[in-house]
Amino acid sequence: QQQVKQSPQSLIVQKGGISIINCAYENTAFDYFPWYQQFPGKGPALLIAIRPDVSEKKEGRFTISFNKSAKQFSLHIMDSQPGDSATYFCAASMAGNQFYFGTGTSLTVIP
Amino acid sequence: NAGVMQNPRHLVRRRGQEARLRCSPMKGHSHVYWYRQLPEEGLKFMVYLQKENIIDESGMPKERFSAEFPKEGPSILRIQQVVRGDSAAYFCASSPLAGNRETQYFGPGTRLLVL
């Protein structure tokens, strides 16, 4: 079964707007939650990651919000740019083992 | 500092042939993970290896698929007697021996097409 559920499947945002992608998980043993960005024909690249002991992490225009009690986490992209257009994957892992990936969100930022 | 390298980038095979995919981890990394990505889907874990050891192969199909990570040389994902359903992008990722082992760095992938 899908260990990590991601939504929406696709997202269109105006340039300068905020892009929000959500993920939910069931396994409370997960202790590491990264977000990956993937451009067509390329491998996923680590964007930002969070551990469950903090509720928010910000790096530049990218912020992860983490709700441990709800078992949800989300990626916010502030001031979205056309260059942010890509597919975004959330993931979860425990103890440095395999990642469980969400199904991906295709983001399009229109000028 | 070269990143994770995978070759070939594209591989075409006919049904019944063998496919060999190679992955060279980042320098200093001794953990390798293989994932498969089908079109419009996320990555699915296949196998986790350390040098000369398979740590977790819970995501590997029971037949036709094997993986190794020898003491010297790249990690190899081998698919015997390929079928059309094996067509996918195969990514490997590596992480360091110590320190922030959770961070996995992905290669550019090998896109396998089975005719």
Coordinates of all heavy atoms in Angstrom, one line a residue, chain A residues 18-107:
Chain A
I18 N 2.0 31.4 -4.2 CA 2.5 30.4 -3.3 C 2.1 29.0 -3.8 O 0.9 28.8 -4.0 CB 2.0 30.6 -1.8 CG1 2.4 32.0 -1.4 CG2 2.6 29.5 -0.9 CD1 1.8 32.4 0.0
S19 N 3.0 28.1 -3.9 CA 2.7 26.7 -4.2 C 2.7 25.9 -3.0 O 3.6 26.0 -2.2 CB 3.7 26.1 -5.2 OG 3.9 26.9 -6.4
I20 N 1.7 25.1 -2.8 CA 1.6 24.2 -1.6 C 1.3 22.8 -2.0 O 0.3 22.5 -2.7 CB 0.4 24.7 -0.6 CG1 0.7 26.2 -0.2 CG2 0.4 23.9 0.6 CD1 -0.4 26.8 0.6
I21 N 2.1 21.9 -1.5 CA 2.0 20.5 -1.8 C 1.9 19.8 -0.4 O 2.7 20.1 0.5 CB 3.2 20.0 -2.6 CG1 3.3 20.8 -3.9 CG2 3.0 18.5 -2.9 CD1 4.6 20.5 -4.7
N22 N 1.0 18.8 -0.3 CA 0.8 18.2 0.9 C 1.1 16.7 0.9 O 0.9 16.0 -0.1 CB -0.7 18.3 1.3 CG -1.1 19.8 1.4 OD1 -0.6 20.5 2.3 ND2 -2.0 20.2 0.6
C23 N 1.5 16.2 2.0 CA 1.8 14.7 2.1 C 1.3 14.2 3.5 O 1.3 15.0 4.5 CB 3.3 14.4 2.0 SG 3.8 14.5 0.2
A24 N 0.9 13.0 3.5 CA 0.4 12.4 4.8 C 1.1 11.0 4.9 O 1.3 10.3 3.8 CB -1.1 12.3 4.8
Y25 N 1.3 10.5 6.1 CA 1.9 9.2 6.3 C 1.2 8.5 7.4 O 0.5 9.2 8.2 CB 3.4 9.4 6.5 CG 3.8 10.1 7.8 CD1 4.0 9.4 9.0 CD2 3.8 11.5 7.8 CE1 4.3 10.1 10.2 CE2 4.1 12.2 9.0 CZ 4.4 11.5 10.2 OH 4.6 12.2 11.3
E26 N 1.4 7.2 7.5 CA 0.8 6.4 8.6 C 1.8 5.9 9.6 O 1.5 5.9 10.8 CB 0.1 5.2 8.0 CG -1.3 5.6 7.3 CD -2.2 6.2 8.3 OE1 -2.3 5.8 9.4 OE2 -3.0 7.2 7.9
N27 N 3.0 5.6 9.2 CA 4.0 4.9 10.0 C 4.7 5.9 10.9 O 5.5 6.7 10.5 CB 5.0 4.2 9.2 CG 5.9 3.2 10.0 OD1 6.0 3.4 11.2 ND2 6.5 2.3 9.3
T28 N 4.4 5.8 12.2 CA 5.0 6.8 13.2 C 6.5 6.5 13.4 O 7.1 7.3 14.1 CB 4.2 6.8 14.5 OG1 4.2 5.4 15.0 CG2 2.8 7.2 14.3
A29 N 7.0 5.5 12.9 CA 8.4 5.2 13.0 C 9.3 6.0 12.0 O 10.5 6.1 12.2 CB 8.7 3.7 12.8
F30 N 8.6 6.7 11.0 CA 9.4 7.5 10.1 C 10.0 8.6 10.9 O 9.4 9.3 11.8 CB 8.4 8.1 9.0 CG 8.0 7.1 8.0 CD1 6.7 7.1 7.5 CD2 8.9 6.1 7.5 CE1 6.3 6.2 6.6 CE2 8.4 5.2 6.6 CZ 7.1 5.2 6.1
D31 N 11.3 8.9 10.6 CA 12.0 10.0 11.3 C 12.7 11.0 10.4 O 13.5 11.8 10.9 CB 12.9 9.3 12.3 CG 14.0 8.4 11.7 OD1 14.0 8.4 10.4 OD2 14.7 7.8 12.4
Y32 N 12.5 10.9 9.1 CA 13.1 11.8 8.2 C 12.2 12.0 7.0 O 11.7 11.0 6.4 CB 14.5 11.2 7.8 CG 15.3 12.0 6.9 CD1 15.9 13.2 7.3 CD2 15.5 11.7 5.6 CE1 16.7 14.0 6.5 CE2 16.3 12.4 4.7 CZ 16.9 13.6 5.2 OH 17.7 14.3 4.4
F33 N 12.0 13.3 6.7 CA 11.0 13.6 5.7 C 11.7 14.6 4.7 O 11.7 15.8 4.9 CB 9.8 14.2 6.3 CG 9.1 13.3 7.3 CD1 9.5 13.3 8.6 CD2 8.1 12.5 6.9 CE1 8.9 12.5 9.6 CE2 7.5 11.6 7.9 CZ 7.9 11.6 9.2
P34 N 12.2 14.1 3.6 CA 12.8 15.0 2.6 C 11.8 15.3 1.4 O 10.8 14.6 1.2 CB 13.9 14.1 2.0 CG 13.5 12.7 2.1 CD 12.5 12.7 3.3
W35 N 12.1 16.4 0.8 CA 11.4 16.7 -0.5 C 12.4 16.8 -1.6 O 13.5 17.3 -1.5 CB 10.7 18.1 -0.4 CG 9.5 18.1 0.4 CD1 9.3 18.3 1.8 CD2 8.1 17.9 0.0 NE1 8.0 18.3 2.2 CE2 7.3 18.0 1.1 CE3 7.6 17.7 -1.3 CZ2 5.9 17.9 1.0 CZ3 6.2 17.6 -1.4 CH2 5.4 17.6 -0.3
Y36 N 12.0 16.2 -2.7 CA 12.9 16.1 -3.9 C 12.2 16.8 -5.0 O 11.0 16.8 -5.2 CB 13.1 14.7 -4.3 CG 14.2 14.0 -3.4 CD1 13.9 13.5 -2.2 CD2 15.5 14.0 -3.9 CE1 14.9 12.9 -1.4 CE2 16.5 13.4 -3.1 CZ 16.2 12.8 -1.9 OH 17.2 12.3 -1.1
Q37 N 13.0 17.5 -5.9 CA 12.6 18.2 -7.1 C 13.2 17.4 -8.3 O 14.4 17.0 -8.3 CB 13.1 19.6 -7.0 CG 12.8 20.5 -8.2 CD 13.5 21.8 -8.2 OE1 14.8 21.8 -8.1 NE2 12.8 22.9 -8.2
Q38 N 12.3 17.1 -9.2 CA 12.8 16.4 -10.4 C 12.4 17.1 -11.7 O 11.2 17.4 -11.9 CB 12.3 15.0 -10.4 CG 12.8 14.1 -11.5 CD 12.3 12.7 -11.5 OE1 11.2 12.4 -11.0 NE2 13.1 11.7 -12.0
F39 N 13.4 17.4 -12.5 CA 13.1 18.0 -13.8 C 13.1 16.8 -14.9 O 13.7 15.8 -14.6 CB 14.2 19.0 -14.2 CG 14.1 20.2 -13.4 CD1 15.1 20.4 -12.4 CD2 13.2 21.2 -13.6 CE1 15.0 21.6 -11.6 CE2 13.1 22.3 -12.8 CZ 14.0 22.5 -11.8
P40 N 12.3 17.0 -16.0 CA 12.2 16.0 -17.0 C 13.6 15.4 -17.4 O 14.5 16.2 -17.7 CB 11.5 16.6 -18.1 CG 10.7 17.7 -17.5 CD 11.6 18.2 -16.4
G41 N 13.7 14.1 -17.4 CA 14.9 13.5 -17.9 C 16.1 13.5 -16.9 O 17.2 13.1 -17.2
K42 N 15.8 14.0 -15.7 CA 16.8 14.1 -14.6 C 16.5 13.2 -13.4 O 15.3 12.8 -13.3 CB 17.0 15.5 -14.2 CG 17.3 16.5 -15.3 CD 18.7 16.3 -15.9 CE 19.0 17.3 -16.9 NZ 20.3 17.1 -17.5
G43 N 17.5 13.0 -12.6 CA 17.2 12.3 -11.3 C 16.7 13.3 -10.3 O 16.8 14.5 -10.4
P44 N 16.0 12.8 -9.3 CA 15.5 13.7 -8.2 C 16.6 14.3 -7.5 O 17.7 13.7 -7.2 CB 14.7 12.7 -7.3 CG 14.5 11.5 -8.1 CD 15.7 11.4 -9.0
A45 N 16.5 15.6 -7.1 CA 17.5 16.3 -6.4 C 16.9 16.8 -5.0 O 15.8 17.3 -5.0 CB 18.0 17.5 -7.2
L46 N 17.6 16.6 -4.0 CA 17.1 16.9 -2.6 C 16.9 18.4 -2.6 O 17.8 19.2 -2.9 CB 18.2 16.5 -1.6 CG 17.8 16.9 -0.1 CD1 16.5 16.1 0.3 CD2 19.0 16.6 0.8
L47 N 15.8 18.8 -2.1 CA 15.4 20.2 -2.0 C 15.5 20.7 -0.5 O 16.2 21.7 -0.2 CB 14.0 20.4 -2.4 CG 13.5 21.8 -2.9 CD1 14.3 22.3 -4.0 CD2 12.0 21.7 -3.3
I48 N 14.9 20.0 0.3 CA 14.8 20.4 1.8 C 14.3 19.2 2.5 O 13.6 18.4 2.0 CB 13.9 21.6 2.0 CG1 14.0 22.2 3.4 CG2 12.5 21.3 1.5 CD1 13.2 23.5 3.6
A49 N 14.7 19.1 3.8 CA 14.3 17.9 4.6 C 14.0 18.3 6.0 O 14.6 19.4 6.5 CB 15.3 16.8 4.5
I50 N 13.2 17.6 6.7 CA 12.9 17.9 8.1 C 12.8 16.6 8.9 O 12.6 15.5 8.4 CB 11.5 18.7 8.2 CG1 11.4 19.4 9.5 CG2 10.4 17.7 7.9 CD1 10.2 20.4 9.5
R51 N 13.1 16.8 10.2 CA 12.9 15.7 11.2 C 11.7 16.0 12.1 O 11.3 17.2 12.2 CB 14.2 15.5 12.0 CG 15.3 15.1 11.2 CD 16.6 14.8 12.0 NE 17.8 14.8 11.2 CZ 18.1 13.7 10.4 NH1 17.4 12.6 10.5 NH2 19.2 13.7 9.7
P52 N 11.1 15.0 12.7 CA 9.8 15.3 13.4 C 10.0 16.1 14.7 O 9.0 16.4 15.4 CB 9.3 13.8 13.7 CG 10.5 12.9 13.6 CD 11.4 13.6 12.6
D53 N 11.2 16.4 15.1 CA 11.3 17.2 16.3 C 11.2 18.7 16.1 O 11.2 19.5 17.1 CB 12.7 16.9 17.0 CG 13.9 17.1 16.0 OD1 13.6 17.2 14.8 OD2 15.0 17.2 16.5
V54 N 11.0 19.1 14.9 CA 10.7 20.5 14.6 C 9.4 20.6 13.8 O 9.0 19.7 13.1 CB 11.8 21.2 13.8 CG1 13.1 21.2 14.7 CG2 12.1 20.5 12.5
S55 N 8.7 21.8 13.9 CA 7.5 21.9 13.2 C 7.6 22.7 11.9 O 6.7 22.7 11.0 CB 6.5 22.6 14.1 OG 7.0 23.9 14.4
E56 N 8.7 23.3 11.7 CA 8.9 24.1 10.4 C 10.4 24.2 10.1 O 11.2 24.4 11.0 CB 8.3 25.5 10.6 CG 8.3 26.3 9.3 CD 7.5 27.6 9.4 OE1 6.3 27.6 9.4 OE2 8.2 28.6 9.6
K57 N 10.7 24.2 8.8 CA 12.1 24.5 8.4 C 12.0 25.3 7.1 O 11.2 25.0 6.2 CB 12.8 23.2 8.2 CG 14.3 23.4 7.8 CD 15.0 22.1 7.7 CE 16.4 22.3 7.3 NZ 17.2 21.0 7.2
K58 N 12.8 26.3 7.1 CA 12.8 27.2 6.0 C 14.2 27.3 5.3 O 15.2 27.5 6.0 CB 12.3 28.6 6.4 CG 12.1 29.6 5.3 CD 11.5 30.9 5.8 CE 11.4 31.9 4.7 NZ 10.8 33.2 5.2
E59 N 14.2 27.2 4.0 CA 15.5 27.5 3.3 C 15.1 28.3 2.1 O 14.5 27.8 1.1 CB 16.1 26.1 2.9 CG 16.7 25.3 4.1 CD 17.4 24.1 3.7 OE1 17.5 23.8 2.4 OE2 17.8 23.4 4.6
G60 N 15.5 29.6 2.1 CA 15.2 30.5 1.0 C 13.7 30.6 0.8 O 12.9 30.8 1.8
R61 N 13.2 30.3 -0.4 CA 11.8 30.4 -0.7 C 11.0 29.1 -0.3 O 9.8 29.0 -0.5 CB 11.6 30.7 -2.2 CG 12.2 32.0 -2.6 CD 11.8 32.4 -4.1 NE 12.5 31.4 -5.0 CZ 11.9 30.5 -5.7 NH1 10.6 30.4 -5.6 NH2 12.6 29.8 -6.6
F62 N 11.7 28.1 0.1 CA 11.1 26.8 0.4 C 10.9 26.6 1.9 O 11.9 26.7 2.7 CB 12.0 25.7 -0.2 CG 12.2 25.8 -1.7 CD1 13.3 26.4 -2.2 CD2 11.2 25.2 -2.6 CE1 13.4 26.5 -3.6 CE2 11.4 25.3 -3.9 CZ 12.5 26.0 -4.4
T63 N 9.7 26.2 2.3 CA 9.4 25.9 3.7 C 8.7 24.6 3.8 O 7.8 24.3 3.0 CB 8.5 27.0 4.3 OG1 9.2 28.3 4.2 CG2 8.2 26.7 5.8
I64 N 9.2 23.8 4.8 CA 8.4 22.6 5.2 C 7.7 22.9 6.4 O 8.3 23.3 7.4 CB 9.3 21.4 5.4 CG1 10.1 21.0 4.2 CG2 8.5 20.1 5.8 CD1 11.1 19.8 4.4
S65 N 6.4 22.5 6.5 CA 5.6 22.6 7.7 C 5.3 21.1 8.1 O 4.9 20.3 7.2 CB 4.3 23.3 7.5 OG 4.6 24.7 7.2
F66 N 5.5 20.8 9.4 CA 5.4 19.5 9.8 C 4.4 19.4 11.0 O 4.5 20.1 12.0 CB 6.7 18.9 10.2 CG 6.7 17.4 10.5 CD1 6.8 16.5 9.5 CD2 6.6 17.0 11.9 CE1 6.8 15.2 9.8 CE2 6.6 15.6 12.1 CZ 6.7 14.7 11.1
N67 N 3.4 18.6 10.9 CA 2.4 18.4 11.9 C 2.5 16.9 12.4 O 1.9 16.0 11.8 CB 1.0 18.7 11.4 CG -0.1 18.7 12.5 OD1 0.0 17.9 13.5 ND2 -1.1 19.5 12.4
K68 N 3.2 16.7 13.5 CA 3.4 15.3 13.9 C 2.1 14.6 14.4 O 1.9 13.4 14.1 CB 4.4 15.3 15.1 CG 4.9 14.0 15.5 CD 6.0 14.1 16.5 CE 6.5 12.8 17.0 NZ 7.6 12.9 17.9
S69 N 1.2 15.3 15.1 CA 0.0 14.7 15.6 C -0.9 14.3 14.4 O -1.6 13.3 14.5 CB -0.7 15.6 16.5 OG -1.0 16.9 15.9
A70 N -0.9 15.1 13.4 CA -1.8 14.8 12.2 C -1.1 13.9 11.2 O -1.7 13.4 10.3 CB -2.2 16.1 11.5
K71 N 0.2 13.7 11.4 CA 1.0 12.9 10.5 C 0.9 13.4 9.1 O 0.7 12.7 8.1 CB 0.6 11.4 10.6 CG 1.0 10.7 11.9 CD 0.7 9.2 11.9 CE -0.8 9.0 12.1 NZ -1.1 7.5 12.2
Q72 N 1.2 14.7 9.0 CA 1.1 15.4 7.7 C 2.3 16.4 7.6 O 2.8 16.9 8.7 CB -0.2 16.2 7.6 CG -1.4 15.3 7.5 CD -2.7 16.1 7.5 OE1 -2.7 17.3 7.8 NE2 -3.8 15.5 7.1
F73 N 2.8 16.6 6.4 CA 3.8 17.6 6.2 C 3.6 18.2 4.8 O 3.0 17.5 3.9 CB 5.2 17.1 6.4 CG 5.6 15.9 5.5 CD1 6.5 16.1 4.5 CD2 5.1 14.6 5.7 CE1 6.9 15.0 3.7 CE2 5.5 13.6 4.9 CZ 6.4 13.8 3.9
S74 N 4.0 19.4 4.7 CA 3.7 20.1 3.4 C 4.9 21.0 3.0 O 5.7 21.4 3.8 CB 2.5 21.0 3.5 OG 2.7 22.0 4.5
L75 N 5.0 21.2 1.7 CA 6.0 22.1 1.1 C 5.4 23.3 0.6 O 4.3 23.3 -0.1 CB 6.7 21.3 -0.1 CG 7.7 22.1 -0.8 CD1 9.0 22.4 0.0 CD2 8.1 21.4 -2.1
H76 N 5.9 24.4 1.0 CA 5.4 25.7 0.5 C 6.5 26.4 -0.3 O 7.7 26.5 0.2 CB 5.1 26.7 1.7 CG 3.9 26.2 2.5 ND1 3.8 25.0 3.2 CD2 2.7 26.9 2.7 CE1 2.7 25.0 3.8 NE2 2.0 26.0 3.5
I77 N 6.2 26.8 -1.5 CA 7.2 27.5 -2.3 C 6.7 28.9 -2.4 O 5.6 29.2 -3.0 CB 7.3 26.9 -3.7 CG1 7.7 25.4 -3.6 CG2 8.4 27.6 -4.5 CD1 7.7 24.7 -4.9
M78 N 7.4 29.9 -1.8 CA 7.0 31.3 -1.8 C 7.5 31.9 -3.1 O 8.5 31.5 -3.7 CB 7.5 32.0 -0.6 CG 7.4 31.3 0.7 SD 5.6 31.0 1.1 CE 5.2 32.7 1.6
D79 N 6.8 33.0 -3.6 CA 7.2 33.7 -4.7 C 7.6 32.7 -5.9 O 8.7 32.8 -6.4 CB 8.4 34.6 -4.4 CG 8.8 35.5 -5.5 OD1 8.0 35.9 -6.3 OD2 10.0 35.9 -5.5
S80 N 6.7 31.8 -6.2 CA 7.0 30.8 -7.2 C 7.4 31.4 -8.5 O 6.9 32.4 -9.0 CB 5.7 30.0 -7.4 OG 5.3 29.3 -6.2
Q81 N 8.4 30.8 -9.2 CA 8.9 31.2 -10.4 C 8.8 30.2 -11.5 O 8.7 29.0 -11.2 CB 10.4 31.5 -10.2 CG 10.7 32.6 -9.2 CD 10.1 34.0 -9.6 OE1 10.3 34.4 -10.7 NE2 9.4 34.6 -8.7
P82 N 8.8 30.6 -12.8 CA 8.7 29.6 -13.8 C 9.8 28.5 -13.8 O 9.5 27.4 -14.1 CB 8.8 30.4 -15.1 CG 8.3 31.8 -14.7 CD 8.7 32.0 -13.3
G83 N 10.9 28.9 -13.3 CA 12.0 27.9 -13.1 C 11.7 26.8 -12.0 O 12.5 25.8 -12.0
D84 N 10.7 27.1 -11.2 CA 10.3 26.1 -10.2 C 9.5 25.0 -10.8 O 9.1 24.0 -10.1 CB 9.5 26.7 -9.1 CG 10.3 27.8 -8.3 OD1 11.6 27.6 -8.2 OD2 9.7 28.7 -7.8
S85 N 9.0 25.2 -12.1 CA 8.2 24.2 -12.7 C 8.9 22.8 -12.8 O 10.0 22.8 -13.4 CB 7.8 24.6 -14.1 OG 7.0 25.8 -14.1
A86 N 8.4 21.8 -12.2 CA 9.1 20.5 -12.0 C 8.1 19.6 -11.3 O 7.0 20.0 -11.0 CB 10.4 20.7 -11.2
T87 N 8.5 18.4 -11.1 CA 7.7 17.4 -10.3 C 8.4 17.3 -9.0 O 9.6 17.2 -8.8 CB 7.7 16.0 -11.0 OG1 7.1 16.2 -12.3 CG2 6.9 15.1 -10.1
Y88 N 7.6 17.4 -7.9 CA 8.0 17.4 -6.6 C 7.5 16.1 -5.9 O 6.4 15.8 -6.0 CB 7.5 18.6 -5.8 CG 8.1 19.9 -6.3 CD1 7.7 20.5 -7.5 CD2 9.2 20.5 -5.7 CE1 8.3 21.7 -8.0 CE2 9.8 21.6 -6.2 CZ 9.3 22.2 -7.4 OH 9.9 23.3 -7.9
F89 N 8.5 15.5 -5.2 CA 8.1 14.3 -4.5 C 8.4 14.5 -3.0 O 9.5 14.9 -2.6 CB 9.0 13.1 -5.0 CG 8.7 12.7 -6.4 CD1 9.5 13.1 -7.4 CD2 7.7 11.8 -6.6 CE1 9.2 12.7 -8.7 CE2 7.4 11.4 -7.9 CZ 8.2 11.9 -9.0
C90 N 7.5 14.1 -2.2 CA 7.8 14.0 -0.7 C 8.2 12.5 -0.5 O 8.0 11.6 -1.3 CB 6.6 14.4 0.1 SG 5.2 13.3 -0.1
A91 N 8.9 12.3 0.6 CA 9.4 11.0 1.0 C 9.5 10.9 2.5 O 9.4 11.9 3.2 CB 10.7 10.7 0.3
A92 N 9.5 9.7 3.0 CA 9.7 9.4 4.4 C 10.6 8.2 4.5 O 10.6 7.3 3.7 CB 8.4 9.2 5.1
S93 N 11.4 8.2 5.6 CA 12.3 7.1 5.9 C 12.4 6.9 7.4 O 12.1 7.8 8.1 CB 13.6 7.2 5.2 OG 14.4 8.2 5.9
M94 N 13.0 5.7 7.7 CA 13.3 5.5 9.1 C 14.7 4.9 9.3 O 15.0 4.0 8.5 CB 12.2 4.6 9.8 CG 12.2 3.2 9.2 SD 10.8 2.2 9.8 CE 9.6 2.4 8.5
A95 N 15.4 5.4 10.2 CA 16.7 4.8 10.5 C 17.6 4.8 9.3 O 18.4 3.8 9.2 CB 16.5 3.5 11.2
G96 N 17.5 5.7 8.4 CA 18.4 5.7 7.3 C 18.3 4.6 6.3 O 19.2 4.3 5.5
N97 N 17.1 4.0 6.3 CA 16.9 2.9 5.3 C 16.1 3.5 4.1 O 16.2 4.6 3.7 CB 16.1 1.8 6.0 CG 17.0 1.1 7.0 OD1 18.2 0.9 6.7 ND2 16.4 0.8 8.1
Q98 N 15.4 2.6 3.4 CA 14.8 3.0 2.1 C 13.8 4.2 2.3 O 13.3 4.4 3.4 CB 14.0 1.8 1.6 CG 12.9 1.3 2.5 CD 11.9 0.5 1.8 OE1 11.2 1.0 0.9 NE2 11.8 -0.8 2.2
F99 N 13.7 4.9 1.2 CA 12.7 6.0 1.2 C 11.4 5.5 0.6 O 11.4 4.7 -0.3 CB 13.2 7.1 0.3 CG 14.2 8.0 0.8 CD1 14.8 7.8 2.1 CD2 14.7 9.1 0.1 CE1 15.7 8.7 2.6 CE2 15.7 10.0 0.7 CZ 16.2 9.7 1.9
Y100 N 10.3 6.0 1.2 CA 9.0 5.7 0.7 C 8.6 7.1 0.0 O 8.5 8.1 0.7 CB 8.0 5.3 1.7 CG 8.3 4.0 2.3 CD1 9.2 3.9 3.5 CD2 7.8 2.8 1.8 CE1 9.5 2.6 4.0 CE2 8.1 1.5 2.4 CZ 8.9 1.5 3.5 OH 9.2 0.3 4.0
F101 N 8.3 7.0 -1.3 CA 8.0 8.3 -2.0 C 6.5 8.4 -2.2 O 5.8 7.5 -2.4 CB 8.7 8.3 -3.3 CG 10.2 8.6 -3.3 CD1 11.1 7.6 -3.1 CD2 10.6 9.9 -3.5 CE1 12.5 7.9 -3.0 CE2 11.9 10.2 -3.4 CZ 12.9 9.2 -3.2
G102 N 6.1 9.7 -2.2 CA 4.8 10.0 -2.7 C 4.7 9.9 -4.2 O 5.7 9.6 -4.8
T103 N 3.5 10.0 -4.7 CA 3.4 9.8 -6.2 C 3.7 11.0 -7.0 O 3.7 10.9 -8.2 CB 1.9 9.4 -6.5 OG1 1.0 10.3 -5.8 CG2 1.6 8.0 -6.0
G104 N 4.1 12.1 -6.4 CA 4.6 13.3 -7.1 C 3.5 14.3 -7.4 O 2.3 14.0 -7.6
T105 N 3.9 15.5 -7.5 CA 3.1 16.7 -7.9 C 3.8 17.4 -9.0 O 4.9 17.8 -8.9 CB 2.9 17.6 -6.7 OG1 2.2 16.9 -5.7 CG2 2.1 18.9 -7.2
S106 N 3.1 17.5 -10.1 CA 3.6 18.3 -11.3 C 3.2 19.7 -11.1 O 2.1 20.1 -11.2 CB 3.1 17.7 -12.6 OG 3.5 18.5 -13.7
L107 N 4.2 20.6 -10.9 CA 4.0 22.0 -10.7 C 4.3 22.8 -11.9 O 5.4 22.6 -12.5 CB 4.9 22.5 -9.5 CG 4.9 24.0 -9.3 CD1 3.5 24.6 -8.9 CD2 6.0 24.4 -8.3

